[in-house]
Amino acid sequence: MRVHIATDHAGLELSAHLQEHLAAKGYDVVDHGPREYDAEDDYPAFCINAAAAVVVDQESGVSALGIVLGGSGNGEQIAANKVRGVRAALAWNLDTARLARQHNDANVVAVGGRQHSLAEATEIIDAFLEEPFSEAERHIRRIAQIAEYEVTGSIAAS
């Protein structure tokens, strides 16, 4: 599986750790930056580029997921969710990471680097990457409704 990763300055240490950890586990890791610490960096471009790469890969049949990191993960999740086809979820524990995949087929996870130890954040990321989508009809239906709104600006009443 290919994993696209991006961060802001607050998640840079976590990003470096995760890239090494995930590569050792056999993932094809693509770093969308930044490559060096800059307290004034602007994370949206990094996160949007990573999220867009996930969509391009998935649309071309490549198994891919994304990770966006920051101090809280909130802004990074918001930026990633601006990309059509992205379902980015903020995960703060193992359950939220697993449920994001099981129920929402999230293709990008956001984690706050200042909210967790390296060990905790790594466990959250591993849980997200290893959890499959449930394929339950109700979840497929709900995801389709979100995608419909994303494309058309309207949603059918249920």
Side-chain angles (χ1 to χ4, degrees), residues 138-150 155:
R138 71 183 190 277
H139 298 310
I140 292 170
R141 182 180 67 245
R142 294 166 186 162
I143 292 165
Q145 291 171 350
I146 294 167
E148 175 186 350
Y149 181 81
E150 186 176 50
I155 187 166

Side-chain angles (χ1 to χ4, degrees), residues 3-64:
V3 177
H4 295 276
I5 190 167
T7 188
D8 75 350
H9 61 278
L12 198 58
E13 179 184 354
L14 175 57
S15 179
H17 166 77
L18 288 171
Q19 288 178 56
E20 185 176 307
H21 169 77
L22 295 174
K25 290 184 83 167
Y27 291 99
D28 174 15
V29 181
V30 180
D31 181 13
H32 291 270
R35 306 262 192 286
E36 58 188 42
Y37 184 86
D38 176 1
E40 296 295 319
D41 68 4
D42 293 323
Y43 63 83
F46 303 128
C47 296
I48 289 168
N49 288 337
V54 169
V55 172
V56 168
D57 275 353
Q58 289 181 335
E59 288 177 349
S60 66
V62 174
S63 176

Side-chain angles (χ1 to χ4, degrees), residues 14-137:
L14 175 57
S15 179
H17 166 77
L18 288 171
Q19 288 178 56
E20 185 176 307
H21 169 77
L22 295 174
K25 290 184 83 167
Y27 291 99
D28 174 15
V29 181
V30 180
D31 181 13
H32 291 270
R35 306 262 192 286
E36 58 188 42
Y37 184 86
D38 176 1
E40 296 295 319
D41 68 4
D42 293 323
Y43 63 83
F46 303 128
C47 296
I48 289 168
N49 288 337
V54 169
V55 172
V56 168
D57 275 353
Q58 289 181 335
E59 288 177 349
S60 66
V62 174
S63 176
L65 293 171
I67 302 166
V68 293
L69 308 167
S72 69
N74 284 309
E76 295 73 21
Q77 176 204 25
I78 292 167
N81 273 319
K82 298 302 179 185
V83 175
R84 182 175 289 175
V86 167
R87 290 174 305 283
L90 179 65
W92 61 89
N93 60 29
L94 296 176
D95 285 341
T96 57
R98 289 182 183 122
L99 288 169
R101 293 285 305 130
Q102 283 177 14
H103 292 190
N104 307 110
D105 198 16
N107 52 7
V108 175
V109 64
V111 173
R114 292 181 176 157
Q115 312 305 311
H116 310 281
S117 68
L118 285 178
E120 290 170 338
T122 302
E123 283 185 291
I124 291 168
I125 296 298
D126 284 344
F128 178 84
L129 295 175
E130 294 166 6
E131 191 68 36
F133 177 49
S134 72
E135 301 287 341
E137 188 280 327

